């Protein structure tokens, strides 16, 4: 079983004991006491207290050169580590370079350490670790192998900064290869936003442990999740080696609430798997390399991905190059937000945005698809969201007017569809006051956090009790545009409904099971409320 280790910076014994209790309460299986700023007495005061020994303890004293805070000289630091060893914590973590560069230290430490992982003496087991806070070391595999050859090392750990997802995936490659030669428990962590996936999927790869902080505590390394995120959002306890993985591909992607929505759905529907953030740099080459690397890992088992800005066009290009076939509307839109990777090695994909929007409208109004064919719809904006909306509505036979600040862009969008699959015209946004459309869809970011006072139009007199107003902006849930429209008597539809319903379409494509819409909506609401 992969343990969750909660790192705690030690400042005083009295402060640490409640922190240990809280971390254990939140789900930590082990505590790492970061004793960089502690002295002999403080360490002793903690390790001799039964309350501190309710869970396995790792003691670490890191020098500044190792990314720590210890400010004294090296002799004093090594003396502090030896002192901690005599107090018999469960583990001590020592940097490989410290072990190699101070020959007297191993000579003094070995008699105080467990001989191996099965030693029953109660002496601490040695975690030998290597850190690189700048980049992925080119010789990572050799370093890990050399560390494993130290007889006293019971557990081998490497942590390095991942500049991108490809750097992070190296950790999984090593987890797949090294156990054939190294027969010691391993922990390989990529630090930074791109490395989060190595912390989340540690249990899938049977790592000895992963680090996570209690909610509200300071992290000890970049990219650490909270214990609750790991257990609740990322289904840490149910991960196994062949767990399918899904994710959201974007740049940036850390703000995405899709992991909360999909993982809640998997949990509720009893589907195996975990949905993770997949940050991939903006260019197509980066997209192609990262997706190829993800699919190339033997055990990763990537089964599907949501795709967001700026990769929706890249996803369509990737699909085409891989010989995948798009449905008619997605092909017309030209960009997709969903990729499927079935086990037969093929690639599929679709654009679930437009259908999620239509489903949100149908659910709110009770219309069927034929009813939509008789509507006049004003689409505000002419960007990516508007394009998906126009393609979907036009393919259903609705009459669409695209209102945009930049008339040329609206005209180009209208020209692409008008007469080919429906009736689409273009107008300047400031002509909206004269509209005779009964359905208004805001596809501009106006009103989106932090610009919550903005509305997309400057005259709302055309909106009345026979109008349906749909705002695709979902943060905040109730935009000012929706509130003002409701005040004029219009029926209003929130963007959150579209977000959840496009996720439902993806979920059903990923798993082949009916999506738990209500659970996914509650998860989306909760995630937005936390922002
Ligand atoms: P985009 O490609 O950047 O297009 C933005 C469009 O909005 C452009 O036509 C732009 O006009 C117009 N615009 C920008 N700021 C404006 C303002 N202050 N007032 C009036 N018009 C403005 O963006 P997108 O990808 O289409 O996304 C637009 C919005 O759709 C997002 O902000 C998001 O809230 C929403 N969305 C929601 C969902 C969902 O699931 N609910 C899914 C996708 C998108 P110009 O052409 O003149 O620059």
């Amino acid at each position: 079983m992969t343990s969750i280790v909660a790192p705690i910076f030690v400042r005083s014994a009295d402060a640490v004991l409640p922190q240990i209790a809280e971390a254990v309460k939140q789900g930590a299986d082990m505590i790492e006491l970061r004793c960089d700023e502690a002295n002999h007495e403080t360490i002793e005061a903690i390790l001799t207290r039964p309350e501190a020994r309710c869970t396995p303890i790792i003691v670490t004293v890191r020098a500044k050169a190792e990314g720590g805070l210890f400010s004294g000289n090296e002799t004093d630091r090594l003396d502090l580590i030896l002192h901690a060893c005599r107090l018999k914590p469960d583990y001590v973590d020592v940097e490989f370079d410290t072990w190699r560069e101070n020959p007297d230290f191993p000579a003094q430490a070995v008699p105080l350490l467990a001989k191996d992982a099965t030693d029953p003496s109660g002496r601490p087991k040695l975690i030998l670790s290597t850190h690189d806070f700048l980049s992925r070391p080119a010789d990572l595999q050799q370093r890990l192998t050399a560390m494993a050859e130290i007889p006293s090392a019971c557990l081998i750990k490497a942590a390095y900064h991942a500049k991108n997802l490809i750097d992070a995936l190296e950790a999984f490659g090593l987890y797949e290869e090294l156990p054939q030669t190294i027969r010691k428990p391993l922990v390989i962590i990529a630090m930074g936003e791109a490395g989060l996936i190595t912390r989340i999927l540690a249990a899938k790869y049977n790592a000895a442990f992963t680090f996570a902080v209690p909610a509200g505590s300071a992290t000890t390394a970049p990219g650490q999740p909270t214990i609750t995120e790991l257990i609740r959002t990322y289904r840490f306890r149910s991960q196994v080696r062949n767990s399918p993985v899904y994710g959201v591909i974007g740049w940036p992607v850390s703000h995405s609430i899709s992991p909360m929505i999909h993982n809640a759905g998997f949990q509720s529907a009893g589907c195996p798997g975990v949905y993770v953030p997949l940050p991939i740099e903006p260019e197509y080459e980066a997209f192609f390399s990262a997706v190829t690397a993800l699919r190339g890992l033997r055990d990763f088992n990537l089964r599907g991905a949501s795709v967001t800005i700026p990769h929706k066009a890249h996803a369509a290009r990737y699909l085409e190059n891989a010989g995948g076939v798009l449905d008619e509307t997605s092909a017309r839109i030209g960009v997709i937000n969903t990729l499927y990777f079935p086990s037969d090695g093929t690639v599929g994909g679709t654009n679930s945005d437009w259908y999620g929007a239509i489903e949100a409208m149908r659910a709110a109004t009770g219309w069927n698809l034929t009813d939509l064919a008789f509507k006049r719809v004003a689409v505000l904006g002419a960007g990516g969201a508007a394009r998906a909306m126009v393609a979907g509505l036009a393919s259903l036979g609705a009459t669409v007017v695209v209102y945009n600040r930049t008339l040329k862009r609206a005209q180009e969008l209208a020209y692409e569809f008008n007469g080919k699959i429906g009736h689409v015209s273009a107008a300047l946004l400031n002509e909206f006051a004269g509209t005779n459309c009964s359905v208004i869809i805001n596809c501009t970011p106006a009103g989106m956090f932090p610009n919550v006072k903005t509305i997309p139009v400057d005259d709302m007199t055309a909106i009345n009790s026979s109008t349906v107003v749909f705002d695709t902006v979902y943060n905040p849930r109730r935009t000012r545009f929706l509130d003002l429209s409701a005040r004029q008597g219009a029926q209003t539809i929130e963007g959150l409904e579209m977000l959840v319903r496009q996720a439902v379409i993806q979920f059903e494509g990923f798993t082949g099971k009916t999506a738990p819409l209500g659970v996914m909506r509650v998860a989306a609401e909760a995630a937005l409320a936390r922002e």
Side-chain angles (χ1 to χ4, degrees):
M1 184 192 105
T2 302
S3 301
I4 297 177
V5 177
I8 295 175
F9 273 113
V10 174
R11 301 230 150 82
S12 75
D14 287 345
V16 159
L17 295 173
Q19 285 177 278
I20 294 177
E22 182 56 31
V24 170
K25 194 171 128 202
Q26 289 187 27
D29 306 299
M30 232 193 260
I31 301 293
E32 181 194 39
L33 294 178
R34 283 291 300 266
C35 297
D36 309 13
E37 294 182 302
N39 57 27
H40 290 57
E41 292 72 34
T42 308
I43 297 178
E44 190 158 346
I46 298 168
L47 290 179
T48 52
R49 294 277 282 272
E51 309 97 284
R53 308 306 296 264
C54 62
T55 191
I57 298 278
I58 303 171
V59 169
T60 308
V61 187
R62 266 192 214 302
K64 287 203 168 134
E66 299 172 351
L69 298 171
F70 187 87
S71 55
N73 64 40
E74 196 57 356
T75 311
D76 288 347
R77 186 172 77 93
L78 300 182
D79 187 58
L80 195 58
I81 297 173
L82 292 171
H83 177 67
C85 287
R86 291 185 198 99
L87 295 162
K88 296 190 173 175
D90 300 85
Y91 295 90
V92 286
D93 183 324
V94 178
E95 190 77 12
F96 187 35
D97 286 345
T98 299
W99 190 267
R100 281 194 298 193
E101 288 162 13
N102 298 280
D104 290 347
F105 179 70
Q108 290 173 282
V110 167
L112 303 174
L113 294 168
K115 282 194 196 62
D116 55 39
T118 59
D119 185 339
S121 65
R123 288 194 288 264
K125 298 182 184 71
L126 175 66
I127 300 171
L128 213 50
S129 60
T130 181
H131 289 77
D132 191 324
F133 290 91
L134 294 178
S135 60
R136 176 170 60 82
D139 63 344
L140 191 56
Q141 179 159 356
Q142 290 89 321
R143 267 199 226 185
L144 287 161
T145 309
M147 286 155 75
E149 281 164 7
I150 305 288
S152 316
C154 294
L155 202 153
I156 309 303
K157 185 185 114 194
Y160 61 92
H161 175 75
K163 285 201 276 298
N164 52 35
L165 194 64
I166 302 252
D167 267 357
L169 299 186
E170 171 85 10
F172 299 134
L174 291 170
Y175 276 131
E176 290 181 2
E177 270 179 43
L178 284 179
Q180 288 143 37
T181 46
I182 293 180
R183 307 224 171 264
K184 290 184 176 177
L186 273 174
V187 174
I188 309 170
I189 295 166
M191 293 180 282
E193 188 192 334
L196 175 64
I197 190 172
T198 63
R199 301 177 185 277
I200 294 173
L201 297 179
K204 174 180 168 72
Y205 277 92
N206 200 24
F209 56 74
T210 192
F211 291 98
V213 291
S217 300
T219 57
T220 55
Q224 279 172 357
T226 67
I227 299 169
T228 313
E229 280 168 348
L230 214 53
I231 295 174
R232 296 238 185 99
T233 304
Y234 295 112
R235 315 186 71 205
F236 193 77
R237 303 287 191 212
S238 67
Q239 290 176 25
V240 290
R241 192 65 159 205
N242 66 354
S243 296
V245 178
Y246 309 88
V248 50
I249 296 175
W251 186 271
V253 85
S254 58
H255 65 283
S256 172
I257 63 169
S258 293
M260 290 74 168
I261 299 174
H262 282 279
N263 284 321
F266 293 150
Q267 181 70 25
S268 166
C271 298
V274 57
Y275 184 106
V276 297
L278 297 169
I280 298 179
E281 291 143 314
E283 305 73 29
Y284 178 71
E285 290 65 33
F287 179 90
F288 178 82
S289 312
V291 173
T292 305
L294 283 162
R295 296 181 70 206
L297 283 164
R298 191 189 64 209
D299 297 337
F300 194 84
N301 204 8
L302 183 71
R303 286 281 160 265
S306 313
V307 183
T308 184
I309 293 166
H311 287 303
K312 291 186 183 187
H314 297 157
R317 182 172 160 194
Y318 180 89
L319 178 91
E320 195 188 337
N321 290 343
V325 181
L326 275 182
D327 57 276
E328 215 179 307
T329 307
S330 300
R332 256 192 215 114
I333 298 167
V335 302
I336 57 174
N337 70 337
T338 314
L339 280 168
Y340 304 115
F341 304 107
S343 53
D344 62 6
T346 58
V347 182
T350 191
N351 189 314
S352 73
D353 275 338
W354 77 271
Y355 202 65
I358 300 293
E359 284 297 284
M361 272 192 280
R362 287 208 309 150
T365 59
W367 297 334
N368 58 36
L369 293 181
T370 320
D371 295 331
L372 269 165
F374 295 98
K375 303 290 175 197
R376 284 185 68 84
V377 184
V379 170
L380 313 182
R387 186 183 168 78
M389 205 70 80
V390 170
L393 289 164
S395 71
L396 294 173
T399 302
V400 185
V401 186
V402 181
Y403 290 92
N404 197 41
R405 295 185 304 199
T406 314
L407 181 62
K408 190 165 178 283
R409 223 173 152 194
Q411 285 170 330
E412 282 165 2
L413 181 54
Y415 178 76
E416 230 184 289
F417 294 95
N418 191 37
K420 291 152 200 147
I421 59 146
H423 309 284
V424 186
S425 56
L428 261 173
L429 191 58
N430 63 15
E431 289 167 17
F432 173 76
T435 192
N436 58 358
C437 294
S438 60
V439 182
I440 321 293
I441 307 178
N442 175 35
C443 293
T444 80
M448 188 166 79
F449 181 84
N451 304 314
V452 294
K453 293 210 169 117
T454 318
I455 57 170
V457 294
D458 50 16
D459 185 328
M460 296 195 46
T461 44
I463 295 173
N464 55 49
S465 57
S466 50
T467 319
V468 172
V469 177
F470 176 12
D471 198 336
T472 65
V473 170
Y474 57 82
N475 186 15
R477 266 186 76 177
R478 287 300 299 177
T479 59
R480 183 150 179 261
F481 185 46
L482 286 184
D483 280 343
L484 293 176
S485 300
R487 240 182 265 168
Q488 312 248 122
Q491 179 179 1
T492 57
I493 307 170
E494 296 175 356
L496 185 94
E497 278 307 306
M498 171 180 170
L499 179 75
V500 173
R501 283 168 194 275
Q502 64 78 27
V504 159
I505 295 160
Q506 295 181 328
F507 182 102
E508 296 184 347
F510 292 157
T511 65
K513 288 196 176 182
T514 304
L517 170 67
V519 169
M520 291 168 77
R521 183 189 290 115
V522 168
E525 286 166 356
L528 283 177
R530 274 201 297 274
E531 285 203 338

